[in-house]
Amino acid sequence: MDKRRAENKAYLIGPIVRHRIQDSLFYKEKLYLTNESSIVPVIVEHVHSVGGTDEAGRPSPFLCCLLRLLELEPSPAIIQLLLTQNGYNEFKYLTALALVYCRLVFDAKEMYALYDEYIKDYRKLRMQLKTPRFENDLPIHYKLVHMDEWVDMLVEEESVVDLTLPYIAPRKVYVEKGEAEVRVYGGGNDSEDDSYESDSD
């Protein structure tokens, strides 16, 4: 059974992680009573990295906000607004969060269309490490990725940030069935526009 057809989209997050999120102080204080409108300021103010749970099993604000979005099941118009912020693209973690929501909920055709759009997006993202690595005896809790790497992970990997992703076949399968466009390589802007680097990070 395709998990994306689940009546309760919150069940797309496994029960252990889901219960940890719902029991977390951040979820209870910041998210429990939010709606499609009031969750956006919470994301903008508190989500400053992409991440799952840490080595102690504590869920990140990113993961907590994702569960709340799945519980709310926003309309496609709202999801589009979260992705692009009306074309301003100001809050990159809001975009990153909306992308993983889409990966969990959208079908392959829709996701490959998003892939083609965001594979040209080179904004920098901090990704929380499950366990810190050490450099010069100092713990490093994050690594740097870019938005194009993030959307590539969402399509290519079986799991990200403690989430098991619904299966999608390689793109060529959908192209042959006429359900996805052939990927066009090149033609994008390979230089990173400094004006595109924005966020509350």
Side-chain angles (χ1 to χ4, degrees):
M1 179 180 176
D2 188 342
K3 292 199 300 182
R4 286 168 294 192
R5 307 297 178 223
E7 185 174 341
N8 186 341
K9 294 294 188 289
Y11 285 21
L12 291 168
I13 295 180
I16 294 175
V17 175
R18 187 171 70 249
H19 294 152
R20 283 177 177 171
I21 293 170
Q22 291 168 335
D23 286 340
S24 70
L25 190 62
F26 180 83
Y27 179 89
K28 291 176 180 177
E29 289 187 347
K30 306 293 184 184
L31 294 168
Y32 182 66
L33 296 177
T34 52
N35 56 31
E36 292 178 348
S37 176
S38 61
I39 193 175
V40 174
V42 176
I43 297 169
V44 169
E45 182 177 355
H46 296 283
V47 177
H48 304 300
S49 65
V50 172
T53 59
D54 63 16
E55 59 185 335
R58 293 170 297 201
S60 67
F62 183 91
L63 201 56
C64 292
C65 290
L66 175 63
L67 175 62
R68 187 57 185 156
L69 278 179
L70 289 166
E71 291 172 337
L72 292 170
E73 295 187 44
S75 68
I78 295 293
I79 291 300
Q80 184 61 32
L81 183 62
L82 298 181
L83 283 167
T84 67
Q85 299 118 56
N86 276 335
Y88 290 102
N89 294 298
E90 184 177 0
F91 300 109
K92 57 192 177 184
Y93 292 104
L94 187 55
T95 300
L97 186 63
L99 281 170
V100 71
Y101 177 94
C102 293
R103 177 63 179 85
L104 290 170
V105 173
F106 284 13
D107 62 26
K109 180 179 179 179
E110 295 170 306
M111 193 60 210
Y112 279 119
L114 283 174
Y115 178 92
D116 288 344
E117 181 176 355
Y118 287 95
I119 201 67
K120 305 170 190 173
D121 187 339
Y122 308 114
R123 284 178 288 176
K124 297 173 185 175
L125 299 168
R126 289 193 302 169
M127 178 169 281
Q128 177 183 314
L129 300 174
K130 187 79 170 178
T131 56
R133 57 185 173 84
F134 287 83
E135 291 184 5
N136 300 320
D137 294 326
L138 295 175
I140 306 297
H141 295 277
Y142 301 93
K143 68 176 181 178
L144 181 67
V145 299
H146 296 78
M147 192 73 75
D148 64 319
E149 295 175 276
W150 173 237
V151 76
D152 196 60
M153 289 181 214
L154 293 176
V155 170
E156 297 293 335
E157 303 292 336
E158 294 181 358
S159 63
V160 296
V161 294
D162 296 298
L163 303 171
T164 299
L165 301 174
Y167 174 75
I168 58 173
R171 186 188 189 110
K172 64 180 181 180
V173 174
Y174 301 101
V175 172
E176 290 170 358
K177 293 163 62 176
E179 296 177 359
E181 299 294 328
V182 177
R183 168 122 187 249
V184 177
Y185 292 87
N189 181 11
D190 291 332
S191 63
E192 195 170 339
D193 183 355
D194 289 340
S195 65
Y196 207 42
E197 276 293 326
S198 57
D199 206 8
S200 53
D201 191 1

